[in-house]
Amino acid sequence: MGLPSKRRTSTSKNNRRSHHALKGINTVKCSACGAPALPHKACPTCGEYKGAKVVNVEKRTERRAKKLKAIS
Ligand SMILES: [Zn+2]
């Protein structure tokens, strides 16, 4: 099995890890309700996208509650 030929210093280790930090997700303000939403996606709060209602939020919450009830 291959072994490392030279010791990795703490500096080289830290230099490698300098790119590992996580970035926060980018959100945009919903034009209908003002809640934060992912860009190019329907708003999770009101279900609107580009001025049109594309997701029935009430039905979705109902469906999810039913699914949770079925599991437990
Ligand atoms: Zn919205």
Side-chain angles (χ1 to χ4, degrees), residues 13-63:
K13 176 188 73 181
N14 291 338
N15 277 335
R16 183 180 68 242
R17 290 180 184 177
S18 70
H19 305 283
H20 289 189
L22 296 173
K23 282 181 192 145
I25 54 164
N26 184 36
T27 56
V28 290
K29 218 170 93 179
C30 173
S31 56
C33 69
L38 292 172
H40 310 291
K41 302 268 185 242
C43 173
T45 313
C46 66
E48 200 151 307
Y49 183 68
K50 278 190 173 176
K53 202 109 176 153
V54 291
V55 176
N56 192 334
V57 179
E58 292 87 41
K59 254 192 170 173
R60 186 187 62 191
T61 34
E62 218 172 81
R63 206 165 45 234

